[in-house]
Amino acid sequence: MSPEEASRHKSMSSEDFVMSVNRALDFGYGPHPSSSSLDHYMEKLFSGSGHTAASTKECFEVPPRAIGLISERMAFPLSLMHSHDYVSKGLALVGDAAHTVHPLAGQGVNLGFGDAAALAKVISEGVSVGADIGDLSLL
């Protein structure tokens, strides 16, 4: 959402905010799935045996509904940045020095670990065949 929308959502009452979250969850991903004719057939097939799965009798709810707040609301601007040059002679950028992603998904540290592991492997293989550790083609 825009910074203005984020500010508006932060200043809403708790009740209005929860309603807004549920509205976004309900309508933000398209229509809800509905029962299929297969569900009706399975319920009819097993109704006499007493072995009907509970799921055939319950309404399918996507997603669960928010019922309240458990902490202060916070807003984080989303960002994605990356370097134009990742390597130069004797230098390789990894992790947040090479690329940054917004903090909400927790993927930044995983990308950094992957960068470091890949770079360590390439350097190790290069050194084992006598390559210069800082050679641009190796990095």
Side-chain angles (χ1 to χ4, degrees):
M1 63 180 58
S2 71
E4 296 78 24
E5 287 176 291
S7 179
R8 186 171 49 81
H9 278 79
K10 280 188 71 176
S11 64
M12 286 179 175
S13 70
S14 294
E15 295 80 17
D16 288 344
F17 181 76
V18 168
M19 284 185 355
S20 179
V21 167
N22 284 321
R23 192 169 28 258
L25 291 172
D26 284 344
F27 301 108
Y29 298 101
H32 289 228
S34 58
S35 294
S36 68
S37 57
L38 180 59
D39 291 340
H40 176 71
Y41 173 75
M42 294 300 286
E43 184 175 347
K44 190 172 182 179
L45 179 67
F46 290 107
S47 64
S49 68
H51 298 298
T52 298
S55 61
T56 63
K57 295 183 181 229
E58 296 174 5
C59 178
F60 189 73
E61 184 179 345
V62 174
R65 300 193 57 78
I67 58 172
L69 301 178
I70 60 170
S71 70
E72 176 185 342
R73 287 171 268 174
M74 295 178 225
F76 300 93
L78 301 181
S79 63
L80 172 65
M81 296 185 294
H82 65 92
S83 177
H84 292 287
D85 298 309
Y86 293 92
V87 296
S88 66
K89 177 78 172 140
L91 175 74
L93 299 178
V94 298
D96 284 348
H99 44 74
T100 59
V101 295
H102 61 86
L104 298 179
Q107 295 178 356
V109 71
N110 293 329
L111 291 170
F113 291 155
D115 290 349
L119 182 60
K121 181 179 182 208
V122 167
I123 289 174
S124 175
E125 290 172 356
V127 168
S128 72
V129 296
D132 177 359
I133 193 171
D135 188 61
L136 189 58
S137 64
L138 178 64
L139 298 176

